[in-house]
Amino acid sequence: ETAVFQTPNYHVTQVGNEVSFNCKQTLGHDTMYWYKQDSKKLLKIMFSYNNKQLIVNETVPRRFSPQSSDKAHLNLRIKSVEPEDSAVYLCASLRGPGNTLYFGEGSRLIVV
Amino acid sequence: AQKVTQTQTSISVVEKTTVTMDCVYETRDSSYFLFWYKQTASGEIVFLIRQDSYKKENATVGHYSLNFQKPKSSIGLIITATQIEDSAVYFCAMRESDSAGNKLTFGIGTRVLVRP
């Protein structure tokens, strides 16, 4: 049963446009993440938030900015998309260090 | 820094047989957690099984089991009695216990095709 919800699931846009992806988890977890999965299926962490606070910010371009209103929500904004931003963006949540990660279904971005 | 390596890009097996996938990891931490996830054709990523570094016994869940060889920094996944629906990409992942943000690092995945 899905407990991490992402919208939109699919988005096509032109270079230079702004895009936002929304994520909500209903598991009561404290930590949420954004991962990027490229065309080769490689999963790379982008951001980690714990209870609305940014914990991890991997080396991502400045045009990417996470936004968290509460611990159940973590959105991702891309200010001016580039072709290399085409990927699947996966939101995930975690209860604690020894626990498993729960993923959303992903948001596929295609930049033309 | 954490590193997780899956050397097998793809594996093809006949239904009802056993498939084994390799994964090696690098860490300086004495305490860590190892996971295997499955990504289906729809893109859904689901958790399969985990191994805590301090546990000597290999984890087993259903027809998934692990071959944990700590001295070799190796955590292989074994799927017995494979079914067509086991066809997917399998990711190995590791989290160190003191990792900032409880970051999970993934391998590049192994694609498994189970054929009739």
Side-chain angles (χ1 to χ4, degrees):
Chain A
E1 184 179 343
T2 304
V4 181
F5 304 93
Q6 291 185 233
T7 57
N9 293 124
Y10 184 85
H11 188 79
V12 181
T13 191
Q14 294 181 327
V15 170
N17 284 350
E18 179 174 313
V19 172
S20 286
F21 295 117
N22 301 313
C23 181
K24 171 187 173 182
Q25 54 98 356
T26 59
L27 296 163
H29 292 170
D30 288 333
T31 308
M32 294 183 71
Y33 305 81
W34 277 106
Y35 277 83
K36 179 181 179 181
Q37 186 172 40
D38 61 21
S39 58
K40 296 181 180 178
K41 293 289 188 180
L42 186 61
L43 277 161
K44 278 191 173 178
I45 189 170
M46 300 176 71
F47 301 101
S48 165
Y49 263 73
N50 184 278
N51 210 0
K52 298 195 300 179
Q53 188 174 9
L54 180 65
I55 303 298
V56 169
N57 181 354
E58 294 294 309
T59 307
V60 297
R62 287 188 177 184
R63 59 181 180 276
F64 289 87
S65 59
Q67 299 163 330
S68 179
S69 57
D70 56 56
K71 72 175 190 177
H73 295 84
L74 182 62
N75 301 330
L76 180 67
R77 190 181 93 170
I78 313 174
K79 205 170 181 179
S80 176
V81 296
E82 297 287 337
E84 61 265 29
D85 299 336
S86 294
V88 175
Y89 293 88
L90 289 144
C91 178
S93 75
L94 178 76
R95 187 176 69 183
N99 294 285
T100 62
L101 208 56
Y102 289 84
F103 283 91
E105 294 182 340
S107 297
R108 181 178 294 277
L109 174 65
I110 296 178
V111 181
V112 296
Chain B
Q2 302 180 54
K3 186 176 179 182
V4 178
T5 304
Q6 295 178 254
T7 56
Q8 299 154 300
T9 307
S10 63
I11 303 173
S12 178
V13 297
V14 175
E15 191 180 12
K16 299 179 185 176
T17 62
T18 296
V19 63
T20 301
M21 283 165 265
D22 302 328
C23 176
V24 292
Y25 55 91
E26 295 177 24
T27 179
R28 295 180 180 178
D29 203 335
S30 59
S31 178
Y32 48 91
F33 306 95
L34 300 163
F35 304 84
W36 279 91
Y37 286 82
K38 168 185 177 181
Q39 186 170 35
T40 62
S42 68
E44 183 184 15
I45 299 177
V46 294
F47 163 74
L48 295 176
I49 190 170
R50 61 181 276 181
Q51 179 83 36
D52 298 346
S53 63
Y54 61 89
K55 292 185 177 179
K56 293 184 179 180
E57 190 173 318
N58 290 323
T60 299
V61 176
H63 73 146
Y64 302 107
S65 61
L66 297 177
N67 179 15
F68 182 39
Q69 299 183 57
K70 195 170 182 179
K72 296 183 179 180
S73 296
S74 171
I75 184 72
L77 174 67
I78 303 163
I79 307 176
T80 56
T82 52
Q83 302 165 23
I84 301 296
E85 49 267 34
D86 291 324
S87 296
V89 179
Y90 290 82
F91 291 97
C92 176
M94 178 178 68
R95 177 185 304 126
E96 293 168 333
S97 61
D98 64 350
S99 168
N102 296 312
K103 189 171 68 172
L104 195 64
T105 300
F106 286 85
I108 62 172
T110 297
R111 184 176 297 276
V112 172
L113 174 65
V114 180
R115 59 188 194 277

